[in-house]
């Protein structure tokens, strides 16, 4: 077990299963990703308001009724990459050590996840970048992402509390939200830079966001 001064060893992302266990769940996850890709491509081409559920369903080869078995709204369909991202983080939380402060460990998990994005060159990074770029011009997608974040935060808070035992809901939520807030700001800065033709080192941007979080006086001077 890591000591208080040693970083925790988290499972590598390529060793964290992204697929549910049962065949039925694997098929469902695959369908969700396929429909999500269709929705995202249509939103990018035509905008969310001009894209209907019927059109998404038709291009995905399913009925509108089937679509709503998978997603409550058309915006949620485009957020499959975000959901998968947060599922990866949740899976890695199991490796947290009770002998170290929780926040640095959550931040280490996010560093590993963001590093795997390879600044948009990996498949997962490209998918998340596409969603974040679209969120810049589509308020309904940003609202849907906020709703999804809230749901996933509650799940992760409960998981942390059960895993570590000595955390109450308030402390667990503050820790999860603190780590996630820096991630959201870094992802937005990344998307903005790409959208305007610039380049941003995502991991370095996240590190700067964390530094500003931990030093409010420095943030006020910046």
């Amino acid at each position: 077990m890591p000591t208080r001064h040693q970083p925790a060893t988290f499972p590598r992302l390529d060793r964290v299963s992204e697929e549910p266990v049962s065949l039925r769940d694997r098929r469902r996850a695959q369908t969700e990703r396929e429909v999500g890709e269709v929705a995202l491509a249509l939103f990018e081409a035509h905008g969310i308001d001009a894209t209907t559920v019927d059109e998404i369903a038709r291009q995905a080869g399913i009925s509108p009724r089937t679509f709503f078995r998978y997603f409550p709204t058309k915006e949620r369909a485009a957020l499959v990459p975000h959901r998968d991202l947060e599922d990866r983080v949740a899976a890695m939380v199991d490796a947290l050590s009770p002998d170290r402060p929780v926040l640095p460990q959550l931040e280490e998990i996010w560093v590993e996840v963001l590093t795997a994005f390879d600044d948009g060159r990996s498949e997962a990074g490209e998918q998340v970048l596409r969603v974040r770029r679209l969120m810049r011009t589509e308020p309904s997608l940003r609202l849907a992402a906020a709703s999804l974040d809230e749901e996933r935060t509650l799940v992760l808070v409960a998981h942390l509390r059960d895993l570590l035992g000595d955390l109450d809901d308030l402390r667990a939520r503050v820790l999860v939200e603190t780590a996630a807030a820096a991630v959201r700001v870094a992802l937005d800065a990344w998307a903005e830079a790409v959208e305007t033709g610039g380049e941003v080192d995502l991991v370095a941007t996240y590190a700067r966001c964390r530094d500003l979080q931990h030093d409010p006086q420095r943030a006020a001077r910046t």
Side-chain angles (χ1 to χ4, degrees):
M1 179 174 294
T3 68
R4 186 172 299 276
H5 301 292
Q6 293 175 324
T9 301
F10 300 110
R12 283 172 42 186
L13 281 181
D14 57 4
R15 295 178 183 172
V16 175
S17 174
E18 298 178 39
E19 298 291 345
V21 175
S22 73
L23 177 60
R24 179 181 178 182
D25 285 348
R26 287 200 301 272
R27 286 175 174 170
R28 179 182 179 89
Q30 181 61 31
T31 299
E32 287 176 342
R33 290 179 184 132
E34 291 172 355
V35 175
E37 172 58 32
V38 169
L40 183 56
L42 286 171
F43 294 163
E44 289 171 326
H46 307 295
I48 291 179
D49 288 344
T51 302
T52 65
V53 168
D54 285 354
E55 186 174 5
I56 296 170
R58 179 177 58 79
Q59 291 206 19
I62 61 175
S63 69
R65 182 175 180 180
T66 299
F67 175 92
F68 285 113
R69 291 177 185 168
Y70 291 95
F71 304 104
T73 67
K74 60 184 178 181
E75 288 86 356
R76 278 295 186 100
L79 292 173
V80 171
H82 269 235
R83 184 207 62 192
D84 288 349
L85 163 65
E86 293 176 5
D87 284 347
R88 291 182 183 185
V89 172
M92 295 173 75
V93 162
D94 286 334
L96 290 183
S97 168
D99 298 324
R100 294 182 60 220
V102 176
L103 182 57
Q105 295 186 83
L106 290 175
E107 292 172 339
E108 288 164 11
I109 288 175
W110 277 114
V111 166
E112 183 161 350
V113 170
L114 297 180
T115 299
F117 284 177
D118 195 20
D119 286 329
R121 288 180 287 269
S122 70
E123 181 179 356
E126 179 192 17
Q127 291 287 321
V128 170
L129 178 58
R130 289 171 65 195
V131 174
R132 299 306 291 199
R133 292 179 68 179
L134 193 59
M135 284 169 57
R136 286 172 46 79
T137 57
E138 296 285 358
S140 66
L141 186 60
R142 183 170 286 276
L143 286 173
S147 175
L148 178 62
D149 286 346
E150 173 71 9
E151 293 174 12
R152 295 292 165 147
T153 293
L154 293 176
V155 171
L156 189 53
V157 164
H159 187 46
L160 266 182
R161 186 192 60 219
D162 293 342
L163 182 67
L164 299 179
D166 62 344
L167 284 178
D168 58 27
D169 281 348
L170 181 61
R171 287 181 60 205
R173 175 140 195 172
V174 168
L175 292 168
V176 170
E177 292 278 18
T178 298
V183 173
R184 287 192 289 268
V185 173
L187 289 174
D188 283 342
W190 182 37
E192 180 179 1
V194 171
E195 192 73 20
T196 56
E199 292 186 4
V200 165
D201 183 318
L202 178 56
V203 176
T205 301
Y206 174 57
R208 182 164 181 255
C209 291
R210 287 162 46 207
D211 289 344
L212 293 173
Q213 270 185 328
H214 297 320
D215 187 353
Q217 291 185 346
R218 178 184 173 190
R221 295 192 301 268
T222 302

